[in-house]
């Protein structure tokens, strides 16, 4: 029988909440029943779960969950809250006789004065709990949340008084604490500024953990007590591939969750760094997951060495889009004349006098072409049901839903599209699932000159680098997500 639970979310990445909930529940084989029109902009959400253990699983895997409560009541006034709470007496009356407890009263976007906190607590006296009040280690914790609208600071005039809006809340929620979210601790564990090896394009820890959850990297829960869950790695682990490995930001959280990771990049220096062992391996050793980094290879994904498909359970990556580092592929910006081609061929037949390896030339890789090629590569390399998870930057004013469909191919389905907004532009975390069991040949990736242009619709991410540097990145409300790093 389904029961109602109140989820309190961390105040970041609100557009990522539902995809994470759905991915973690799918991973562990249960369903989260959402409200009819979920409002992800609000800090609280009431969902239905079939078992209380599912709340523990969500709290220990979802990065954006702060805590989960057994839901008792809600209302725009305390009178409504008390009426609903009395109607739910069958849920809490078992705690009346002899259960230690405490009450928490907190506000979102507001600090509630202590005197009114006491008044709110006393208004629940009809619950008649007879157990000991224990503020440190209670058997149950009752929580009351007042949600206030966000109010920007006044531009002119005197500042607002600290409690001038007290009592003018949007809604009140009340329930019993089930479990505190523990997955958020991993944000500090994987903090980029504490990492042994990182670069100016390293993905921030919270986002990389959210991406890891979208891949459905598998852990198994083993429990003998509903309040004491322990994690053990599934066997065998899932195979994950990052085709734009860089400094390895996606590798560490996915490996931590039990995956076996393979990485590649067209520029091996990004993975290696300047000292030995390679930088990615040094950072992986710091997190205790070096044994799960199966290999690091240098090659262009458009000239990849894969001889067979359906190798990986998921592909997760943050493709370069030209702001801090531009995407590259093998080739020349300008083709050589026949004379120069003959000359190069002649020199290539004899050893170089300096005995240095040949470094092939590269040319820019336009973002919309890269995205479409990545989907084709994923269809070839993923097992049926596997996921492709990657970021796609878009221009806010130009973006349309059809933009995502311009890069899709048969057998692939978009299941999540979450926006991280930076003002004039944003980046979208796209999750695509392979829905077909058909086998496909290794894809070919034609150059722009070889491709047949069908300009039915030009997506907002086409020529993103040029648009970025033409001015919208300097807008007053814009910020660069990479500036959060202290390099």
């Amino acid at each position: 029988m389904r029961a109602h639970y109140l989820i309190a979310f961390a105040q970041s990445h609100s557009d990522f909440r539902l995809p994470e909930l759905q991915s973690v529940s799918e991973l562990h084989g249960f369903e989260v029943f959402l409200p009819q029109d979920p409002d992800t902009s609000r800090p609280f959400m009431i969902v239905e779960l079939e078992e209380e253990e599912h709340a523990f699983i969500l709290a220990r895997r979802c990065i954006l969950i702060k805590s989960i409560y057994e839901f008792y009541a809600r209302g725009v006034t305390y009178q409504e809250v008390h009426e609903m709470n009395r109607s739910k007496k069958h849920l809490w009356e078992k705690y009346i006789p002899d259960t230690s407890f405490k009450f928490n009263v907190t506000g979102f976007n507001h600090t509630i004065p202590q005197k009114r906190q006491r008044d709110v607590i006393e208004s629940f006296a009809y619950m008649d709990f007879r157990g000991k009040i224990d503020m440190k280690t209670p058997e149950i914790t009752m929580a009351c949340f007042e949600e206030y609208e966000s109010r920007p600071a006044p531009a002119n005039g005197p500042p607002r008084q600290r409690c001038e809006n007290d009592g003018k809340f949007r809604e009140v929620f009340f329930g019993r604490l089930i479990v505190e979210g523990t997955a958020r601790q991993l944000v500090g564990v994987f903090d980029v500024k504490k990492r042994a090896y990182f670069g100016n394009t390293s993905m921030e820890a919270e986002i990389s953990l959210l991406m890891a959850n979208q891949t459905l990297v598998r852990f198994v829960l083993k429990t003998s007590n509903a309040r004491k869950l322990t994690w053990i790695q599934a066997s065998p682990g899932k195979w994950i591939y990052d085709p734009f490995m860089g400094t390895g930001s996606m590798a560490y959280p996915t490996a931590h969750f039990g995956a076996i990771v393979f990485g590649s990049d067209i520029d091996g220096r990004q993975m290696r760094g300047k000292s030995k062992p390679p930088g990615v391996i040094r950072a992986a050793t710091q997190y205790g997951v070096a044994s799960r980094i199966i290999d690091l290879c240098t090659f262009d994904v458009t000239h990849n060495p894969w001889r067979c498909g359906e190798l990986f359970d998921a592909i997760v990556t943050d493709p370069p889009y030209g702001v801090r580092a531009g995407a590259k592929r093998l080739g020349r910006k300008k083709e050589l004349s026949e004379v120069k081609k003959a000359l190069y061929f002649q020199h290539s037949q004899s050893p170089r006098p300096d005995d240095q390896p040949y470094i092939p030339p590269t040319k820019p890789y336009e973002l919309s072409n890269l995205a479409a090629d990545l989907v084709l590569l994923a269809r070839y390399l993923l097992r049926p049901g596997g996921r492709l998870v990657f970021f796609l930057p878009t221009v806010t004013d130009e973006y349309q839903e059809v933009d995502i469909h311009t890069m899709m191919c048969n057998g692939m389905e978009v299941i999540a599209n979450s926006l991280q907004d930076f003002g004039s532009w944003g980046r979208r975390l796209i999750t695509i699932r392979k829905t077909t069991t058909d086998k496909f040949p290794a894809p070919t990736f034609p150059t722009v000159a070889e491709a047949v242009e069908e300009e039915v619709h030009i997506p907002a991410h086409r020529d993103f680098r040029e648009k970025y540097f033409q001015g919208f990145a300097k807008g007053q409300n814009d910020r660069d997500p990479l500036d959060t790093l202290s390099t």
Side-chain angles (χ1 to χ4, degrees):
M1 182 178 177
R2 298 198 309 230
H4 290 84
Y5 294 87
L6 173 65
I7 298 179
F9 288 105
Q11 295 314 297
S12 60
H13 310 300
S14 60
D15 209 30
F16 294 63
R17 293 169 180 169
L18 295 188
E20 184 181 42
L21 278 176
Q22 292 163 341
S23 293
V24 172
S25 61
E26 179 182 339
L27 172 63
H28 292 282
F30 64 89
E31 186 174 357
V32 177
F33 298 89
L34 302 171
Q36 187 172 3
D37 296 308
D39 184 355
T40 57
S41 65
R42 300 181 66 178
F44 307 104
M45 182 179 295
I46 297 170
V47 302
E48 292 182 67
L49 299 172
E50 293 180 338
E51 298 180 24
E52 187 173 295
E53 287 75 12
H54 297 165
F56 284 84
I57 294 172
L58 292 174
R60 283 165 169 77
R61 183 64 189 262
C62 291
I63 306 302
L64 297 179
I65 289 181
K66 290 177 64 177
S67 49
I68 301 180
Y69 302 79
E70 183 181 29
F71 172 69
Y72 291 162
R74 67 187 297 182
V76 295
T77 66
Y78 271 102
Q79 181 180 352
E80 292 182 5
V81 171
H82 293 314
E83 288 176 358
M84 181 178 288
N85 189 42
R86 284 187 171 96
S87 70
K88 299 288 184 68
K89 185 177 179 179
H90 62 282
L91 296 177
W92 49 262
E93 63 182 351
K94 58 187 174 183
Y95 304 115
I96 292 176
D98 189 22
T99 304
S100 63
F101 69 96
K102 76 172 181 177
F103 265 79
N104 286 334
V105 180
T106 57
F108 173 77
N109 279 333
H110 180 73
T111 300
I112 303 175
Q114 287 189 355
K115 181 180 183 305
R116 201 169 69 77
Q117 289 184 38
R118 289 194 297 270
D119 293 341
V120 170
I121 293 173
E122 291 173 0
S123 71
F124 287 92
Y126 60 86
M127 297 180 76
D128 195 25
F129 285 168
R130 299 165 192 167
K132 177 184 176 182
I133 297 175
D134 187 343
M135 302 304 292
K136 292 185 177 180
T137 58
E139 294 177 76
I140 63 168
T141 298
M142 312 302 289
C144 189
F145 300 98
E146 295 183 358
E147 180 189 356
Y148 289 77
E149 300 280 3
S150 178
R151 296 187 304 155
N156 299 309
R160 293 195 304 263
Q161 297 298 317
R162 181 180 180 186
C163 299
E164 65 175 333
N165 202 40
D166 188 49
K168 299 178 182 178
F169 44 77
R170 178 178 181 178
E171 196 169 8
V172 178
F173 299 87
F174 180 64
R176 176 181 65 89
L177 177 65
I178 298 293
V179 59
E180 298 279 5
T182 55
R184 286 199 62 76
Q185 299 172 5
L186 295 175
V187 176
V189 172
F190 290 99
D191 186 357
V192 175
K193 289 179 283 189
K194 302 175 184 176
R195 189 171 296 169
Y197 178 70
F198 63 90
N200 64 349
T201 58
S202 296
M203 179 68 71
E204 62 263 37
E206 188 171 19
I207 291 292
S208 62
L209 287 161
L210 289 170
M211 295 179 74
N213 275 343
Q214 288 298 98
T215 65
L216 303 187
V217 177
R218 180 71 178 175
F219 258 62
V220 173
L221 280 172
K222 180 180 180 181
T223 176
S224 57
N225 185 306
R227 291 186 175 275
K228 295 181 180 179
L229 292 171
T230 56
W231 296 86
I232 59 172
Q233 183 185 350
S235 180
K238 286 196 173 183
W239 284 78
I240 305 294
Y241 174 42
D242 185 349
F244 300 96
M245 187 73 160
T247 56
S249 295
M250 303 303 119
Y252 314 127
T254 51
H256 171 79
F257 286 138
I260 306 298
V261 181
F262 182 93
S264 70
D265 202 294
I266 193 172
D267 186 354
R269 295 171 298 179
Q270 290 288 322
M271 298 181 290
R272 294 191 298 268
K274 294 183 178 180
S275 58
K276 293 183 179 180
V280 170
I281 300 301
R282 293 202 308 274
T285 302
Q286 174 186 354
Y287 298 125
V289 296
S291 62
R292 297 179 193 154
I293 309 297
I294 196 67
D295 208 349
L296 304 172
C297 293
T298 301
F299 59 79
D300 176 7
V301 292
T302 65
H303 295 75
N304 63 74
W306 303 116
R307 300 298 180 90
C308 61
E310 300 187 1
L311 293 171
F312 298 102
D313 296 288
I315 295 175
V316 57
T317 191
D318 180 32
Y321 41 86
V323 176
R324 293 294 179 89
K328 301 289 185 181
R329 63 181 296 181
L330 295 181
R332 298 180 182 276
K333 296 180 182 179
K334 185 177 180 181
E335 290 298 323
L336 297 175
S337 65
E338 294 300 324
V339 174
K340 286 188 176 181
K341 284 183 180 179
L343 186 60
Y344 272 106
F345 179 76
Q346 180 180 351
H347 283 293
S348 67
Q349 302 305 304
S350 57
R352 294 181 58 170
D354 54 4
D355 196 29
Q356 293 297 311
Y358 171 70
I359 300 177
T362 59
K363 61 182 179 180
Y365 198 178
E366 203 281 317
L367 180 61
S368 61
N369 295 329
L370 183 155
D373 291 347
L374 183 59
V375 176
L376 281 174
L377 181 67
R379 185 178 67 173
Y380 173 63
L381 289 179
L382 288 176
R383 295 169 181 166
R387 289 186 170 196
L388 166 64
V389 183
F390 69 102
F391 264 113
L392 183 73
T394 59
V395 182
T396 301
D397 293 338
E398 299 178 12
Y399 173 77
Q400 300 178 43
E401 288 295 329
V402 71
D403 291 351
I404 304 302
H405 296 286
T406 61
M407 62 188 183
M408 298 301 292
C409 59
N410 292 334
M412 303 294 280
E413 173 191 26
V414 178
I415 59 174
N417 178 356
S418 306
L419 173 65
Q420 186 180 13
D421 191 2
F422 300 116
S424 298
W425 70 285
R427 57 184 183 183
R428 294 183 172 272
L429 182 58
I430 309 296
T431 304
I432 299 174
R433 179 166 53 204
K434 183 176 178 179
T435 59
T436 180
T437 57
D438 296 340
K439 295 185 181 296
F440 294 88
T444 57
F445 305 102
T447 63
V448 175
E450 296 170 337
V452 178
E453 293 291 335
E454 297 180 0
E455 295 295 333
V456 178
H457 174 77
I458 299 177
H461 53 275
R462 172 71 62 84
D463 299 321
F464 177 82
R465 184 178 187 276
E466 288 72 16
K467 295 174 183 177
Y468 186 99
F469 286 111
Q470 283 172 0
F472 73 76
K474 297 181 180 180
Q476 192 172 15
N477 296 324
D478 299 336
R479 60 187 177 91
D480 190 331
L482 300 175
D483 287 338
T484 59
L485 303 182
S486 297
T487 57

